[in-house]
Amino acid sequence: MSISRITFRSEVLGKTTACNIFLPEMKRSSYPVLYLLHGWSDDCNAWLDNTSLARYAADYPFVIVMPQVELSYYTNMHAGERYFDFLTAELPAFIQQWFPISEKPEERFVAGLSMGGYGAFKWAFTYPERFCGAASLSGALDVVSLWQNDPSRDERFTRIFGPLQKLAGGPDDLNKIIRHHNSAVAKLVLYQSCGTEDFLLDINRKFQTHFTEEFQNYQYSEAPGNHNWKFWDKEIQQVLALFNEQVH
């Protein structure tokens, strides 16, 4: 396997950005792709620096793309860059151009932790026809509740989402996105997990209740653990195994 760090100019962001690419050793004409998203305080190096992802991924055929999105919550920010457009349109086009990844939706996946768990589900539910599966690990899925219950988020969330009243029920409210999903979402393989000591447990349980009633290809997992890399190091192994089953 090899790991490439690519620095390139994004026209959507209007600046230079970076991503890390994990490339498997096994030879194929095209490779399934996993977009792996970082959390609030992290960058594109976080998954490689804090887990044994490279060792685990060596057993699988995935090209793994780890982009950098700053503190954007994977949105077109109210006062900042258009990171959702970058993530969902510009970045995949670049990756398709640079690497021999499959163009088939059944070989395309997205996953993330915390803020990235929100981003993964948001991307998959917004464009379900592009993906086979999505996974959220300790996902910060309900940004409206997080903001309402924590006024210390005011400054950063206002910069990201705009006013709270605009966020609730708007295009960045995952509750609304899920309520108005189209039929393609029902085909997605969905995985969600959270540690039993995680401060986001109640939010994840709320989504778990809804998803269990709504979707057949959905798995939810709880295990002892907190909002930390020890938990996510275990969980990424489950994600890789699950998505590999879909490829085969």
Side-chain angles (χ1 to χ4, degrees):
M1 61 90 181
S2 62
I3 297 169
S4 299
R5 179 179 174 89
I6 299 177
T7 302
F8 61 100
R9 177 172 175 79
S10 163
E11 296 303 321
V12 170
L13 301 178
K15 66 180 183 180
T16 298
T17 188
C19 65
N20 285 318
I21 316 289
F22 173 92
L23 302 168
E25 285 187 0
M26 55 189 71
K27 302 299 182 182
R28 297 169 60 111
S29 58
S30 67
Y31 295 83
V33 60
L34 168 61
Y35 291 91
L36 190 56
L37 310 183
H38 67 72
W40 173 269
S41 59
D42 300 323
D43 59 17
C44 63
N45 300 308
W47 277 104
L48 294 170
D49 289 347
N50 296 288
T51 74
S52 296
L53 173 68
R55 179 162 56 88
Y56 305 143
D59 295 329
Y60 300 103
F62 297 105
V63 168
I64 303 177
V65 181
M66 293 159 276
Q68 184 150 307
V69 302
E70 314 301 337
L71 298 181
S72 70
Y73 257 89
Y74 300 89
T75 68
N76 291 334
M77 299 172 68
H78 176 72
E81 290 83 3
R82 292 160 41 220
Y83 274 104
F84 193 62
D85 289 347
F86 163 74
L87 180 73
T88 62
E90 188 178 34
L91 177 65
F94 280 148
I95 299 301
Q96 196 76 52
Q97 176 182 340
W98 294 332
F99 299 98
I101 62 171
S102 174
E103 297 184 27
K104 301 175 182 178
E106 56 266 33
E107 294 187 338
R108 192 179 298 130
F109 304 86
V110 60
L113 66 89
S114 194
M115 180 183 80
Y118 162 87
F121 274 2
K122 178 185 174 184
W123 190 0
F125 275 82
T126 304
Y127 300 109
E129 69 282 355
R130 301 181 186 178
F131 290 99
C132 176
S136 169
L137 312 181
S138 312
L141 302 177
D142 190 344
V143 291
V144 175
S145 292
L146 282 172
W147 192 352
Q148 289 173 334
N149 296 327
D150 185 1
S152 70
R153 297 177 183 265
D154 284 354
E155 182 179 352
R156 285 179 171 175
F157 270 30
T158 298
R159 187 168 69 250
I160 295 168
F161 299 112
L164 176 57
Q165 59 269 27
K166 177 183 175 182
L167 171 61
D172 295 317
D173 184 351
L174 195 55
N175 287 292
K176 179 190 177 182
I177 295 171
I178 292 168
R179 285 196 304 270
H180 294 86
H181 68 78
N182 62 39
S183 58
V185 171
K187 300 178 182 179
L188 291 173
V189 175
L190 300 172
Y191 180 78
Q192 180 189 350
S193 69
C194 194
T196 52
E197 288 71 51
D198 197 307
F199 75 99
L200 294 174
L201 181 61
D202 288 344
I203 285 176
N204 276 268
R205 284 178 171 173
K206 181 179 72 172
F207 276 79
Q208 183 256 340
T209 299
H210 177 75
F211 282 10
T212 299
E213 297 172 352
E214 191 78 15
F215 306 117
Q216 291 185 340
N217 299 323
Y218 169 70
Q219 297 182 35
Y220 178 78
S221 174
E222 280 183 17
N226 215 317
H227 203 77
N228 58 33
W229 286 105
K230 181 179 180 181
F231 181 79
W232 301 321
D233 182 79
K234 293 179 181 178
E235 285 300 303
I236 193 59
Q237 299 174 63
Q238 305 301 316
V239 171
L240 290 168
L242 174 64
F243 288 169
N244 188 59
E245 290 176 6
Q246 314 312 312
V247 172
H248 289 85

